[in-house]
Amino acid sequence: MQQTIANLSHEMELSRIPQLMVGQIKPNRLQRLIQRLSERFGLRPLQWTTKINPQKEQIHTFGTRRHWYLAMEATTAHQLQLDLTTQPTVTKAILIHELHHFTSGDYWQLGYLAKLFQQTGWLWGWGVLFSIGMGLLLVLVAVEFLTLDIVDFLNQLSEPFSLGEELASLLPAQSEIDILQEQAQNINLGEATFLTVTFFFTVFMPFVIVTSILWLFFWPKLWRTREFYADAEVVHQQKSINPYRSALTGIPSVAFLNSASTPTHEPVPQKPFRQQLWQWLKQLRTNHPLLEIRLAALHHPTQIFDQWFKTGLLVGSLALLINIILQTPLTFFFLNRVTVHFSTLIIFIVAALSLIPLLVQGHKTYTAIVGLITIAIGIQSIFIIFAIGAILAAYFIAPEALDTMLTNAVVVMSGQTALSPQDYLFGSELSAYIVGFVKSGIAQTIFPFLLLIVALFIINWFLRRLFYWYAYPNADRRLMQIAYGLISIFAIFLILAVLPLLTTIWQEPAELSSLFIWFWVLIGSTIFGLGLAWFIKQDRLYAHFCPACQRKVEGDYELGKTCNHCGQRLHPWLLVEYEG
Amino acid sequence: MNELTNAQRVTRVAWIIFAINWMLVLLAVFLPIQGWAALTYGVWLLLSMPALALWLVWHYRVRFQTKRSLFLIIALLYISGIFVFGYRLNQPALNFVFTMIFWNCAITIGLTMGLFFWKNDFSIQFIGILSLLLLWGLIFLGRSQGAILQLFICNNATGMSCPYWPLAPLWCIFIWALPLGIIGFIRHTLQLLRDEW
């Protein structure tokens, strides 16, 4: 029940499996079953193979967007073939799980993502070495170039080379060369080398580190989530958790039906904090959830989705990583004060999506919104909060030392960015600088916090409202699409209109007269307005109406709610009944 | 017994001439040849050896499409280059051998690299690694020998006697790798797209 990465080239992937034996073993019944199940799920015919060498993974899927492979060890293939006679539902459960990775596109989406992270890491790693090398070479050559006597050099040629009048006129005059050479003597090679190395390091290393973190920790998290979905699909299809539980545990499914040792349906018991922490750390790098968590999730599907606390940690760390990338010297001068917009947007989208499972269950979401945003913004702003605290403390305790420190920092920065340090010295303007710094810090912490709370309460209302659209045609397919559409429209509105407008008002009110800002505000507002109008229209048509008797359904939405008049189950597609 | 194909016949002949040529190279200092005979001998070796090497590389192309073969040719080119341009030995026969090895490798490296890039999607990585080697080689050379700019111009200008430039073989490989690598990259990208669709 494991997957490997999809690769750009399936040939490459195949060649990596040692001693791959295609078609050597032919468990025909199993092959026919795979074929049948593939047709049932609307999949194209699969290429499948058995491999001889026992590897970590007994069965896995891989491939590209259009070429799909299901590979299994020979022994696994034989075992599954045997199980087809004794416990066919268990074999089917395993295959349904694997095939779900194809129907949901897990193998290629996450495969390409892994490749993207890997290649980005390699590329930027190369970039660090190349740029530092190029910078050092230029530093080395610069002094030699400036002190090189071209005329004398040309005279050294065994066949003297005449520059000619036109070419000679392009060279600097002797007096200019003398000045250049004098300046060249003053170049501090050590300092120039230090600046070169630190500049390129700060430009490239964040990319290397961040993509490595994304690949090592966030990518496995995505896989673990997809595993839960594939597990859920098995139960959805088989209307029972017993076969799949048997496949996971190795205990025959019959035992679950009659044995007193059948696991209880209670959630996983809480462990001591230290054990939980250790388990969590161990889990960070694995692609599969722990067995006990998977089993618990089969009984209580809502456990698939993280609690708001964990989601907050996850999205906060992600936002922090995005901020680090966007604030490198390479990106910062292009994005400047809008860097925080991107992380705000990411937090909004993830937080909004995380509300959906709670809303489906009819739970209250206010605590989740406030808690999640507090944690996420707290983590995202960890450096800013620390910097504001440190600078304010230094300002009140030792202002002169702070002035010296900031001046030194500016001198170093000016060396890196070719700015004139004179324009940035503080002295009497230190107070003004501190006010500006704190103001900017507030803009990057408190404003996103408040804005996100407001935005999430609004989107929460809209999403909650969707579940009252009982009579909406094809609700099983379309309601989720509408939910995604709503979140997208909100996100567009935020990034085009709300965030730029608020940032401008707070930091550069004079720029409000710029047509550029208002143009994008107009675009964002128009999209939002059109979406809102469509939503109101649909809401009037379908909200609160029973699809069967067309009469108004009273009361709040609940999972599994029935019509007060005709008893029709509302949103039956949200429920799956199964044995467990 | 199976009939030999034309390619196999040519290869056999090529091996025989190749062996004779190497014997001629090894015996060069002992052969009392002068004037037109020496000229003919030199021209024959200069033209026939690369032609034979190219044919043999092409004939055994499957074996030359591996990293090991490419590395072998590069190593031979580099080592022989040191003795040809850097440190001349007092043995004229050995110098001549190294010159012929260098000459053969300088010609066949292009074909070997082309074959390697055609078979393996490794061209971009190869160019990346090579460019780093060149760049950091230049830096260390600059730090150890100094006057890096003069050294570079001197080695790329005619009519000057210059100190040995140890990066010359790498530069030669890079010149080959750049166009061939780009072609190899395009070929593999197109191949991937064709396989996928």
Side-chain angles (χ1 to χ4, degrees):
Chain A
M1 286 67 66
Q2 304 197 17
Q3 303 74 38
T4 53
I5 53 169
N7 207 306
L8 270 175
S9 163
H10 55 85
E11 295 293 337
M12 276 166 65
E13 183 66 27
L14 278 172
S15 68
R16 284 197 190 120
I17 300 174
Q19 297 180 26
L20 188 76
M21 305 293 281
V22 179
Q24 187 178 351
I25 297 160
K26 290 181 178 167
N28 292 325
R29 283 184 63 204
L30 189 62
Q31 202 162 0
R32 281 200 298 275
L33 177 61
I34 293 170
Q35 206 56 43
R36 246 194 353 262
L37 287 172
S38 304
E39 283 167 16
R40 188 168 124 197
F41 296 129
L43 296 170
R44 288 194 302 273
L46 293 174
Q47 299 184 42
W48 83 293
T49 184
T50 52
K51 56 186 178 175
I52 298 300
N53 256 12
Q55 286 191 331
K56 191 175 67 175
E57 293 157 354
Q58 295 174 325
I59 177 167
H60 65 264
T61 55
F62 65 91
T64 60
R65 181 80 178 83
R66 294 166 74 91
H67 295 275
W68 304 343
Y69 294 89
L70 179 62
M72 62 184 83
E73 276 178 27
T75 46
T76 310
H78 278 307
Q79 188 59 49
L80 289 177
Q81 171 105 324
L82 286 173
D83 287 350
L84 261 181
T85 313
T86 54
Q87 40 182 4
T89 49
V90 175
T91 307
K92 273 186 193 169
I94 293 169
L95 293 175
I96 290 169
H97 174 101
E98 295 302 329
L99 293 179
H100 179 76
H101 288 307
F102 291 121
T103 51
S104 62
D106 296 345
Y107 67 101
W108 70 267
Q109 288 167 8
L110 296 183
Y112 287 152
L113 194 62
K115 281 286 153 200
L116 180 71
F117 290 150
Q118 287 169 17
Q119 298 306 324
T120 308
W122 279 115
L123 184 67
W124 290 112
W126 177 87
V128 176
L129 291 175
F130 189 82
S131 308
I132 290 178
M134 189 55 90
L136 290 179
L137 186 67
L138 291 176
V139 169
L140 272 179
V141 174
V143 176
E144 196 192 337
F145 181 73
L146 291 173
T147 52
L148 182 72
D149 190 334
I150 296 169
V151 179
D152 179 53
F153 177 72
L154 293 174
N155 286 336
Q156 287 176 24
L157 293 170
S158 56
E159 293 170 20
F161 179 78
S162 173
L163 277 174
E165 278 186 24
E166 279 189 26
L167 209 54
S169 67
L170 293 174
L171 290 174
Q174 190 56 45
S175 57
E176 289 172 316
I177 290 175
D178 291 340
I179 294 169
L180 277 176
Q181 291 189 344
E182 193 186 328
Q183 286 177 343
Q185 300 302 331
N186 295 329
I187 291 177
N188 184 336
L189 269 184
E191 193 176 301
T193 306
F194 174 75
L195 286 176
T196 307
V197 173
T198 50
F199 175 72
F200 286 116
F201 217 73
T202 49
V203 164
F204 289 109
M205 279 319 278
F207 287 92
V208 179
I209 293 167
V210 167
T211 48
S212 303
I213 291 172
L214 288 174
W215 179 34
L216 291 174
F217 301 111
F218 283 76
W219 186 77
K221 167 70 183 167
L222 280 175
W223 256 130
R224 292 199 295 274
T225 309
R226 299 294 182 109
E227 285 296 323
F228 280 129
Y229 293 164
D231 290 355
E233 176 67 16
V234 177
V235 178
H236 196 147
Q237 291 292 334
Q238 297 194 311
K239 304 286 184 274
S240 167
I241 65 168
N242 290 333
Y244 193 60
R245 190 167 54 184
S246 176
L248 286 174
T249 57
I251 303 168
S253 57
V254 184
F256 293 121
L257 295 175
N258 302 319
S259 166
S261 64
T262 303
T264 60
H265 292 188
E266 294 305 313
V268 181
Q270 286 289 310
K271 291 179 179 174
F273 177 72
R274 194 187 292 175
Q275 275 186 30
Q276 277 187 36
L277 184 68
W278 180 239
Q279 186 176 308
W280 180 74
L281 287 172
K282 275 202 302 187
Q283 270 272 288
L284 282 178
R285 284 284 295 120
T286 60
N287 291 6
H288 293 80
L290 290 174
L291 180 63
E292 59 191 36
I293 298 175
R294 285 176 93 163
L295 292 175
L298 290 177
H299 292 290
H300 297 272
T302 51
Q303 291 188 10
I304 293 175
F305 306 101
D306 284 333
Q307 301 294 313
W308 58 261
F309 179 77
K310 279 189 182 173
T311 310
L313 282 177
L314 192 81
V315 72
S317 333
L318 199 61
L320 179 63
L321 294 178
I322 296 287
N323 275 348
I324 289 172
I325 282 189
L326 294 181
Q327 295 192 9
T328 67
L330 193 69
T331 47
F332 186 70
F333 287 99
F334 297 104
L335 297 168
N336 203 347
R337 61 173 191 255
V338 302
T339 49
V340 78
H341 292 188
F342 295 98
S343 51
T344 306
L345 196 69
I346 285 170
I347 295 174
F348 170 77
I349 292 170
V350 178
L353 288 172
S354 75
L355 294 177
I356 294 174
L358 294 173
L359 292 171
V360 168
Q361 297 168 73
H363 290 174
K364 298 281 182 204
T365 47
Y366 309 123
T367 316
I369 291 174
V370 177
L372 191 154
I373 296 304
T374 308
I375 291 172
I377 292 288
I379 294 173
Q380 182 212 232
S381 315
I382 204 157
F383 289 131
I384 300 169
I385 293 168
F386 177 75
I388 289 178
I391 282 202
L392 281 178
Y395 180 67
F396 289 113
I397 296 166
E400 287 174 6
L402 178 66
D403 192 5
T404 312
M405 189 184 77
L406 290 173
T407 306
N408 287 339
V410 165
V411 169
V412 171
M413 278 296 287
S414 65
Q416 292 184 12
T417 56
L419 297 172
S420 169
Q422 278 71 27
D423 297 338
Y424 291 86
L425 292 180
F426 301 99
S428 59
E429 294 175 9
L430 185 62
S431 306
Y433 171 78
I434 298 294
V435 170
F437 186 79
V438 173
K439 204 173 156 183
S440 165
I442 290 170
Q444 292 178 61
T445 50
I446 295 174
F447 276 1
F449 174 78
L450 294 174
L451 180 72
L452 279 168
I453 294 280
V454 173
L456 279 167
F457 271 99
I458 296 171
I459 193 75
N460 178 61
W461 183 86
F462 278 97
L463 292 174
R464 188 184 291 279
R465 192 75 197 158
L466 270 187
F467 291 99
Y468 289 96
W469 293 10
Y470 305 124
Y472 197 76
N474 300 319
D476 56 333
R477 284 188 293 108
R478 295 187 60 193
L479 273 194
M480 276 311 289
Q481 290 170 359
I482 295 170
Y484 294 149
L486 275 175
I487 295 170
S488 306
I489 288 173
F490 256 79
I492 292 170
F493 183 55
L494 276 179
I495 197 76
L496 291 185
V498 181
L499 285 164
L501 205 57
L502 285 178
T503 309
T504 311
I505 291 169
W506 180 248
Q507 293 197 306
E508 298 286 343
E511 284 184 23
L512 278 175
S513 55
S514 161
L515 275 180
F516 181 76
I517 289 174
W518 291 109
F519 171 75
W520 289 112
V521 168
L522 186 67
I523 297 278
S525 306
T526 309
I527 292 171
F528 182 72
L530 289 173
L532 189 65
W534 181 87
F535 185 90
I536 291 169
K537 188 182 169 193
Q538 303 300 314
D539 192 68
R540 281 185 185 156
L541 284 173
Y542 302 112
H544 291 289
F545 289 108
C546 172
C549 64
Q550 303 299 325
R551 284 194 283 179
K552 195 164 184 180
V553 180
E554 301 297 333
D556 285 342
Y557 159 79
E558 289 166 17
L559 188 61
K561 186 182 174 79
T562 51
C563 173
N564 334 79
H565 309 289
C566 66
Q568 164 77 24
R569 170 103 53 207
L570 302 169
H571 291 324
W573 53 279
L574 286 172
L575 294 167
V576 177
E577 289 180 12
Y578 58 86
E579 294 171 9
Chain B
M1 194 172 160
N2 291 334
E3 282 283 311
L4 291 178
T5 61
N6 282 340
Q8 285 169 327
R9 282 194 199 100
V10 173
T11 306
R12 283 194 173 185
V13 174
W15 271 120
I16 293 165
I17 302 173
F18 199 64
I20 294 169
N21 273 357
W22 274 108
M23 282 171 66
L24 286 175
V25 169
L26 294 170
L27 294 171
V29 284
F30 306 110
L31 292 176
I33 50 171
Q34 286 178 338
W36 279 106
L39 187 67
T40 314
Y41 167 77
V43 171
W44 163 254
L45 283 182
L46 280 178
L47 294 179
S48 66
M49 288 290 266
L52 291 167
L54 284 175
W55 171 260
L56 290 173
V57 168
W58 176 253
H59 186 75
Y60 298 108
R61 55 187 173 277
V62 176
R63 292 181 191 180
F64 277 90
Q65 285 170 334
T66 60
K67 277 183 194 169
R68 201 179 299 164
S69 309
L70 183 63
F71 182 75
L72 180 73
I73 302 274
I74 290 172
L76 277 176
L77 181 79
Y78 202 89
I79 293 165
S80 57
I82 292 172
F83 290 105
V84 173
F85 300 110
Y87 308 100
R88 300 292 288 185
L89 301 168
N90 289 328
Q91 299 286 332
L94 273 179
N95 281 333
F96 192 49
V97 168
F98 281 125
T99 308
M100 289 314 295
I101 292 175
F102 183 82
W103 175 238
N104 275 305
C105 291
I107 298 292
T108 50
I109 185 87
L111 182 60
T112 314
M113 209 180 282
L115 288 170
F116 178 76
F117 289 156
W118 193 257
K119 174 74 179 172
N120 306 289
D121 190 6
F122 192 70
S123 48
I124 295 299
Q125 291 95 318
F126 187 85
I127 293 172
I129 294 167
L130 200 62
S131 58
L132 282 182
L133 281 177
L134 262 178
L135 189 60
W136 284 93
L138 268 174
I139 291 165
F140 287 115
L141 202 66
R143 296 291 292 172
S144 61
Q145 294 192 356
I148 194 170
L149 198 59
Q150 284 203 46
L151 204 61
F152 184 81
I153 295 170
C154 178
N155 273 273
N156 287 281
T158 53
M160 294 180 82
S161 62
C162 311
Y164 175 55
W165 178 249
L167 295 177
L170 274 186
W171 187 248
C172 166
I173 296 163
F174 190 69
I175 297 290
W176 273 114
L178 210 56
L180 292 173
I182 291 168
I183 292 168
F185 175 73
I186 293 170
R187 172 245 189 280
H188 283 284
T189 308
L190 292 176
Q191 176 80 39
L192 279 173
L193 292 174
R194 202 195 70 180
D195 285 352
E196 189 62 8
W197 279 277

